[in-house]
Amino acid sequence: MSSVLTVRGGVPLSGRISVRGAKNLVPKAMVAALLGDSPSVLRNVPEIKDVEVVTSLLQLHGVSVLKDPINGDLTLDPQNATTASSTEIDAHAGDSRIPILLCGPLIHAIGEAFIPDLGGCKIGDRPIDFHLNVLRQFGAVVEKRPGGIHISAPKGLQGAKISLPYPSVGATEQVLLSATKAEGITELIGAAVEPEIIDLIAVLQKMGAIINVQSERTIRIEGVKNLSGYLHRALPDRNETASWASAALVTRGDIFVEGAAQRDLMTFINTFRKVGGGMDIEEDGIRFYHPGGKLNPLVLETDVHPGFMTDWQQPLVVALSQAEGVSIVHETVYENRFGFTKALVRMGANIQLHRECLGSTPCRFGQRNFRHSAVISGPAPLRGADIDVPDLRGGFSHLIAALAATGTSRVTGIDVINRGYERFTEKLAALGADVDVSAGVARR
Ligand code: EPU
């Protein structure tokens, strides 16, 4: 069962909302608490599904997770960490991909980990081969069991020289969370260096870890025997910020995103400016607005940080559907992140998908039959439609298309959007959107 959001489009979103801690950091900082031998305090925690999932998983493993009723800060105490039943782990893991990151910390804390078959957004195959290879290089034994995998390390985890075939965010985090308490030195070559990873390194350093981020995507970690708890304020969610920025453009609105931080959004800000968006960067946040007139088309490729982040792509494509001329977007991080355009085309957008790489960055998907390049011609008037949310960012994109469209849209599957956008229906209402949520219907 899932709620239905009815959207009566055509109202520019205007007003002030705030973003809190990043979805792509907070659950991982929670996992890191397992490595400590005293409690940790995490601040700026958003109320999103992934936080609930990790809370349940940690609690199942004996970690006490207390939420401050006033500000939502979490206190995580791992001192009674223990084994949990695989059936219960499976029941609580939901659709999240975070469970794979519990491997290293659980092995350090209790000697083993069970990881259920993973969910996550349907934006490609999303394999875990890098994770498993990393764990094996640390000396872990990985066994397939019904419903998931069991991981143990009879001799403990040993530091290793690891080279990633692609700068994967999750695999880099896997290395960090495993290596900090592994015996000896770990050198990671080909690491991802997203701001959320640097923030995770800050968390681990507060706990007592010794981690050097060197040039050329190399991270060197000297294992230590013990880590303590941390006190940390999570960095703000740059992906949610970019989504609201695109929403301001698409709806010809004006949104002040309180808590948005320029430093982690530089590539997005450059692109937003080239499209013709207006902005004021202030101390406590950023105002994004449509300045009137035409938006400009552009040629864009997604990439790992410091490139244009893949999570910014989907909302921006909706804005490009309203630009004057032809835009080209080459998705190089996920092979299947344009599925959401089908609903946009039904709503009136003019978007063609291509298998070829329409860009200059060599990409892993080129000759492999994946429709990973999009040609978008605009401006195309959007009209309301019935939409079922396909994934987190795709779902948000549908939502902003519906908000800009003429007529009424019925959006089902909105619980997926709650995975990464805190209280988004309340924020929409605060921005003046004409929306209401009605009780559940069975999902198609
Ligand atoms: N990959 C593999 N094998 C692996 C792991 C990754 O082939 O074992 C591939 C993926 O299939 C993908 C590429 O490597 O093609 C990059 O994946 P990465 O591991 O970097 O992604 P992730 O850690 O699973 C995180 C975010 C994503 C974000 C990506 C890229 C979290 C919980 N998720 O995923 O966020 O798109 O990094 O920056 O941190 C979202 O917020 O909507 C979202 C999907």
Side-chain angles (χ1 to χ4, degrees):
M1 299 287 268
S2 173
S3 313
V4 182
L5 185 74
T6 303
V7 180
R8 286 166 289 274
V11 182
L13 295 185
S14 174
R16 191 180 177 100
I17 47 147
S18 59
V19 291
R20 295 209 284 170
K23 159 193 160 282
N24 290 352
L25 175 273
V26 167
K28 296 144 189 192
M30 292 171 70
V31 170
L34 249 180
L35 291 164
D37 51 21
S38 54
S40 292
V41 176
L42 184 58
R43 298 202 163 134
N44 207 22
V45 177
E47 287 176 29
I48 53 171
K49 192 76 202 309
D50 275 5
V51 170
E52 282 172 32
V53 169
V54 180
T55 299
S56 304
L57 289 174
L58 289 174
Q59 286 170 336
L60 279 179
H61 287 94
V63 179
S64 123
V65 183
L66 293 178
K67 183 172 167 180
D68 185 308
I70 296 172
N71 54 25
D73 291 357
L74 295 181
T75 302
L76 306 113
D77 186 349
Q79 290 174 95
N80 296 317
T82 182
T83 313
S85 100
S86 55
T87 326
E88 284 211 78
I89 297 173
D90 197 14
H92 285 80
D95 282 343
S96 173
R97 281 180 65 79
I98 307 295
I100 189 76
L101 293 175
L102 284 159
C103 291
L106 279 177
I107 290 173
H108 288 303
I110 56 173
E112 60 173 348
F114 173 79
I115 307 301
D117 294 329
L118 296 180
C121 282
K122 308 285 178 284
I123 51 180
D125 259 358
R126 305 203 72 183
I128 54 166
D129 52 334
F130 300 167
H131 293 259
L132 300 184
N133 288 340
V134 160
L135 288 162
R136 288 192 183 103
Q137 287 176 76
F138 279 114
V141 178
V142 179
E143 289 168 70
K144 180 77 190 120
R145 295 253 175 105
I149 43 176
H150 180 265
I151 299 159
S152 57
K155 295 185 190 147
L157 297 180
Q158 314 291 321
K161 184 161 178 161
I162 296 170
S163 182
L164 290 178
Y166 184 78
S168 150
V169 169
T172 300
E173 292 161 343
Q174 185 72 260
V175 171
L176 291 169
L177 291 164
S178 301
T180 41
K181 276 176 87 172
E183 199 186 322
I185 291 171
T186 295
E187 187 180 56
L188 174 63
I189 296 163
V193 289
E194 268 62 5
E196 293 78 14
I197 288 177
I198 304 302
D199 212 40
L200 181 62
I201 291 174
V203 167
L204 293 167
Q205 188 176 54
K206 284 174 174 169
M207 299 177 81
I210 301 172
I211 303 174
N212 274 298
V213 181
Q214 300 170 340
S215 55
E216 303 290 334
R217 298 193 175 280
T218 299
I219 300 180
R220 191 171 181 280
I221 304 136
E222 293 180 37
V224 296
K225 279 209 158 49
N226 298 99
L227 294 174
S228 59
Y230 63 80
L231 167 62
H232 189 75
R233 184 176 177 80
L235 86 169
D237 199 312
R238 66 196 172 111
N239 299 339
E240 185 183 352
T241 301
S243 297
W244 289 114
S246 290
L249 271 193
V250 174
T251 65
R252 305 183 74 83
D254 187 338
I255 303 179
F256 186 83
V257 185
E258 191 181 324
Q262 175 194 11
R263 202 193 42 203
D264 299 332
L265 278 162
M266 289 197 161
T267 307
F268 178 81
I269 286 172
N270 290 337
T271 304
F272 188 84
R273 192 162 269 158
K274 285 200 275 181
V275 176
M279 86 190 73
D280 295 330
I281 300 171
E282 296 184 8
E283 241 178 70
D284 58 341
I286 307 178
R287 172 186 172 213
F288 298 97
Y289 60 95
H290 191 304
K294 294 173 182 171
L295 297 180
N296 311 314
L298 48 83
V299 175
L300 181 73
E301 292 182 89
T302 64
D303 205 350
V304 293
H305 188 77
F308 189 91
M309 168 103 193
T310 170
D311 295 332
W312 302 334
Q313 177 259 103
Q314 290 148 303
L316 192 82
V317 161
V318 190
L320 293 177
S321 77
Q322 303 309 304
E324 187 93 12
V326 177
S327 296
I328 297 174
V329 179
H330 180 209
E331 168 63 56
T332 76
V333 179
Y334 289 109
E335 68 274 30
N336 190 18
R337 214 171 192 179
F338 279 127
F340 75 104
T341 57
K342 210 169 159 187
L344 294 182
V345 169
R346 259 198 304 123
M347 297 175 81
N350 198 340
I351 304 174
Q352 286 95 35
L353 300 184
H354 296 273
R355 294 184 169 81
E356 292 75 10
C357 293
L358 299 183
S360 56
T361 304
C363 152
R364 298 165 295 149
F365 314 130
Q367 303 303 322
R368 296 176 46 206
N369 232 6
F370 296 117
R371 305 210 309 157
H372 69 294
S373 295
V375 176
I376 305 140
S377 342
L382 298 172
R383 45 184 189 271
D386 287 354
I387 301 158
D388 193 39
V389 167
D391 64 75
L392 179 65
R393 309 290 170 199
F396 192 86
S397 309
H398 292 165
L399 195 59
I400 60 180
L403 288 159
T406 48
T408 301
S409 299
R410 288 175 72 256
V411 188
T412 50
I414 57 169
D415 292 349
V416 175
I417 301 180
N418 284 324
R419 274 195 45 224
Y421 295 89
E422 182 180 37
R423 296 172 180 253
F424 77 93
T425 48
E426 285 172 38
K427 289 182 186 175
L428 287 177
L431 293 170
D434 189 356
V435 293
D436 44 58
V437 183
S438 54
V441 290
R443 287 208 65 179
R444 279 176 273 170

